[in-house]
Amino acid sequence: MVPHALVEDFITKALKQEESEVPTIAVTSRESSSKGEELVLVTTLDVDASELRKTLSDMGLSNLWIPKVIVKVAEIPTLASGKLSLGEIKKLAKK
């Protein structure tokens, strides 16, 4: 099982988003017909997928931990508490 929060930390560093006051990325998973499950990056940023893959690989992440799909959204869903709304993020990843 891939720890989504740890992958988010690596992506946050790779995209230089450590200082962002609002969530700009979230990692979740969805079913994949070929592999059972695949990681999905949900983001408000314009991300070059191949460049991100290379950066994460250079940071030492296994291919299993690198999101295969990127979904761009206007905002990352959050709860009233400010925490990520994991259920809504998972719905976005299925689109």
Side-chain angles (χ1 to χ4, degrees):
M1 183 140 170
V2 177
H4 296 174
L6 184 57
V7 175
E8 287 173 357
D9 288 344
F10 274 93
I11 294 172
T12 297
K13 289 175 186 162
L15 298 177
K16 298 176 175 56
Q17 293 296 302
E18 298 96 339
E19 302 299 319
S20 179
E21 293 187 19
V22 296
T24 57
I25 64 138
V27 173
T28 189
S29 60
R30 70 180 185 189
E31 288 185 32
S32 168
S33 58
S34 62
K35 296 181 182 168
E37 186 176 78
E38 62 187 357
L39 285 185
V40 179
L41 170 61
V42 178
T43 182
T44 59
L45 307 170
D46 290 321
V47 176
D48 180 310
S50 60
E51 186 176 313
L52 178 61
R53 273 197 268 306
K54 182 181 181 332
T55 301
L56 293 174
S57 182
D58 290 348
M59 293 171 81
L61 250 65
S62 158
N63 281 337
L64 181 64
W65 288 30
I66 297 174
K68 304 294 184 253
V69 178
I70 298 175
V71 176
K72 184 157 188 231
V73 295
E75 66 181 3
I76 302 293
T78 57
L79 303 171
S81 64
K83 292 182 179 182
L84 298 178
S85 177
L86 300 179
E88 291 300 313
I89 291 167
K90 198 163 238 347
K91 286 179 190 175
L92 291 170
K94 288 183 179 181
K95 292 182 179 180

